[in-house]
Amino acid sequence: MQNINDYIPVVGPSVINELFLLAERVQPRAVQNINSTAVGGGVAEILTRMVPLLRQLGVNAKWDVIKGNDKFFNITKSIHNALHGADVTISKEEWEYFLEVNRENAAELDLSDDIIFVHDPQPIALIERRNRRDAVKWIWRCHIDITNPQKEVMDFLKLYVEKYDSAVFSAPAFGQEMDIAQVLISPSIDPLSDKNKDLPQETVDEVLERLGIDKKRRLVTQISRFDYLKDPVGVIRVYQKAKKHIDCQLVLAGGGATDDPEGMQVLEEAKSAAAGDSDVHIIFLPAGSDVEINALQRASTVVLQKSLKEGFGLTVAEALWKAKPVIASAVGGIPLQIKHKYSGILTYSIEGTAHYLKQLLHEPSYAKALGLNGREHIKNNFLITRHIRDYLLLFLSQYYEQDVVSL
Ligand code: UDP
């Protein structure tokens, strides 16, 4: 496990000292994180790294995962898609089932810690078990892109969000009209995790060989769960357009998350769009493929993230941290990470993405400069130490008035 002091060479001692100082103030309070999957996707990725570090800082941080069956996760995936603007209907019966599963989980979980930190919509209705007479603070953490949610679904969820003390969003555009405090906290990557740490070239080469990728030719990569909103078929179209002008290989690599039932169908659609092109490598990654992801990102000439919607896009930060030129859609939290033509490229269409892909493949020195600027930006803004600091301040702020009165 990572030691918090290992981050000193990356961010400097004052950053770590500050974390200890803040954690000391939070310490009497226990913080319970609750989400809906232990593996797969950005939320699980962050909690896996964050919770042990908070504990090392002395914060009594815990992490629980709610239980649900296929029916529940099909409903929550529809909710997820509707929040991203998709035209799906959630029936009265489905909402009732959603609430019932939340109630079953609420009955099983010990919800007596000082701060209950609920991630995303799946467990949102646990708040029904809130007892206003105790001092427990409830925070809802929304990791998804809700710039243009389907109104009916958002309105339903708001009935629950407004029972919380605060809501946390990843980007300013996601703020909502609501009667509770809203806080902006961007996610982060862990520079020392297996996914982001430096790798010896032999490891990178070994992974490429194992996956059947030619290390001598240009490589374009998108790492993402197989999800419509990551637009894998769009990525293949981009590659096909660029390939007419310049030789390259494409890797689309990703797995599923236990709370995402659509993955296999999207994977199959990507395979048929690739139409048997042996330079398109569609790779289904099992959970825990961190070194493989790290190696693929490091081996890439250009990294794509052609999402249609994106809460933040950790994969963008991961690639930029490796000083890779990234071309990504200007959606959700991605523009926080990329300043167009300075720390990467922002695009709006398949044509635009293909245009810039050709340019970056043809102009390696320009591509390199974008990657280096990107790395600096991630270092200054999106590493886990900044994220821990923001969370500690968030926890402290929940008790601010009470603490001032008792001083
Ligand atoms: N990821 C992974 N395995 C996969 C696909 C993605 O570990 O098969 C990781 C990826 O490296 C990143 C996170 O999961 O750390 C995805 O976060 P992001 O914000 O990009 O998208 P999300 O999946 O949360 O929509």
Side-chain angles (χ1 to χ4, degrees):
M1 199 175 70
Q2 217 65 58
N3 187 300
I4 187 75
N5 291 316
D6 296 342
Y7 293 81
I8 293 175
V10 186
V11 294
S14 61
V15 170
I16 304 303
N17 288 341
E18 191 185 26
L19 295 185
F20 275 106
L21 208 74
L22 290 171
E24 206 180 316
R25 305 291 298 271
V26 173
Q27 256 168 38
R29 270 128 199 176
V31 181
Q32 184 181 16
N33 291 277
I34 303 174
N35 81 325
S36 63
T37 177
V39 286
V43 182
E45 175 74 21
I46 290 170
L47 288 174
T48 304
R49 304 297 299 177
M50 174 87 83
V51 171
L53 290 174
L54 282 169
R55 293 179 74 84
Q56 279 181 45
L57 287 163
V59 177
N60 184 2
K62 301 169 194 165
W63 175 14
D64 284 304
V65 176
I66 58 162
K67 292 187 202 126
N69 56 14
D70 289 352
K71 181 174 173 187
F72 176 73
F73 288 125
N74 277 312
I75 296 169
T76 59
K77 184 70 201 219
S78 297
I79 296 173
H80 182 87
N81 290 340
L83 289 176
H84 283 112
D87 186 19
V88 290
T89 313
I90 315 236
S91 67
K92 194 161 171 277
E93 189 269 331
E94 286 175 321
W95 278 123
E96 270 160 20
Y97 191 73
F98 169 77
L99 294 176
E100 191 184 314
V101 173
N102 265 263
R103 279 180 206 128
E104 282 164 18
N105 277 283
E108 271 186 35
L109 288 165
D110 174 13
L111 298 173
S112 59
D113 283 328
D114 302 284
I115 295 176
I116 310 287
F117 201 13
V118 174
H119 298 261
D120 280 342
Q122 298 90 335
I124 197 169
L126 293 177
I127 186 81
E128 279 192 327
R129 229 192 83 190
R130 174 174 206 170
N131 179 353
R132 285 273 174 192
R133 274 167 309 190
D134 63 31
V136 175
K137 301 290 181 181
W138 286 71
I139 307 173
W140 186 57
R141 198 331 171 190
C142 177
H143 294 266
I144 58 188
D145 180 343
I146 47 170
T147 32
N148 187 24
Q150 200 195 101
K151 190 174 173 321
E152 227 171 72
V153 172
M154 192 69 223
D155 285 350
F156 186 90
L157 292 178
K158 263 190 196 168
L159 299 174
Y160 295 88
V161 181
E162 287 186 334
K163 294 184 199 295
Y164 284 74
D165 293 290
S166 317
V168 182
F169 298 100
S170 296
F174 305 159
Q176 299 287 315
E177 255 179 50
M178 280 191 307
D179 284 339
I180 59 166
Q182 296 181 57
V183 183
L184 168 67
I185 298 180
S186 302
S188 62
I189 58 160
D190 184 339
L192 303 183
S193 66
D194 281 348
K195 193 171 282 171
N196 295 309
K197 69 183 183 190
D198 287 341
L199 283 185
Q201 188 59 42
E202 303 86 74
T203 310
V204 176
D205 291 347
E206 183 272 314
V207 169
L208 290 195
E209 200 176 318
R210 181 153 42 92
L211 297 175
I213 299 160
D214 183 353
K215 67 176 183 186
K216 297 204 181 68
R217 290 166 58 221
R218 295 178 197 91
L219 184 62
V220 179
T221 304
Q222 176 163 300
I223 305 284
S224 277
R225 289 178 298 105
F226 285 93
D227 181 322
Y228 291 111
L229 295 173
K230 308 289 182 183
D231 199 13
V233 172
V235 172
I236 292 171
R237 302 289 174 240
V238 166
Y239 153 85
Q240 287 165 339
K241 282 179 185 290
K243 178 93 178 198
K244 288 186 188 147
H245 303 269
I246 184 162
D247 179 57
C248 57
Q249 311 167 86
L250 175 68
V251 164
L252 274 176
T258 54
D259 60 351
D260 179 0
E262 284 173 354
M264 284 306 148
Q265 196 181 333
V266 179
L267 179 78
E268 289 311 317
E269 285 176 24
K271 278 187 183 158
S272 75
D277 181 338
S278 60
D279 277 340
V280 179
H281 301 267
I282 298 181
I283 302 167
F284 187 80
L285 294 171
S289 303
D290 293 4
V291 172
E292 284 76 8
I293 291 174
N294 190 342
L296 285 169
Q297 288 167 332
R298 286 182 192 280
S300 300
T301 320
V302 174
V303 171
L304 300 181
Q305 191 60 51
K306 218 207 112 353
S307 305
L308 304 174
K309 296 275 180 175
E310 194 60 80
F312 180 71
L314 286 177
T315 48
V316 171
E318 288 162 7
L320 291 175
W321 175 246
K322 292 159 189 124
K324 291 294 158 182
V326 177
I327 306 176
S329 307
V331 294
I334 291 177
L336 296 175
Q337 304 182 61
I338 292 182
K339 189 163 174 242
H340 185 51
K341 295 189 176 178
Y342 177 75
S343 53
I345 298 288
L346 292 175
T347 57
Y348 300 83
S349 64
I350 289 178
E351 288 69 28
T353 311
H355 166 83
Y356 282 108
L357 177 58
K358 277 182 278 174
Q359 184 183 5
L360 296 196
L361 292 177
H362 276 299
E363 295 181 41
S365 56
Y366 176 46
K368 187 174 176 194
L370 294 176
L372 289 172
N373 289 341
R375 178 178 164 93
E376 201 54 27
H377 184 58
I378 298 303
K379 183 176 173 189
N380 292 334
N381 298 285
F382 298 115
L383 296 187
I384 195 165
T385 40
R386 188 276 308 152
H387 199 177
I388 293 175
R389 180 178 181 274
D390 284 354
Y391 274 177
L392 293 173
L393 286 168
L394 171 72
F395 301 152
L396 284 174
S397 72
Q398 300 301 305
Y399 288 93
Y400 182 71
E401 280 174 27
Q402 200 174 309
D403 288 349
V404 169
V405 172
S406 63
L407 273 178

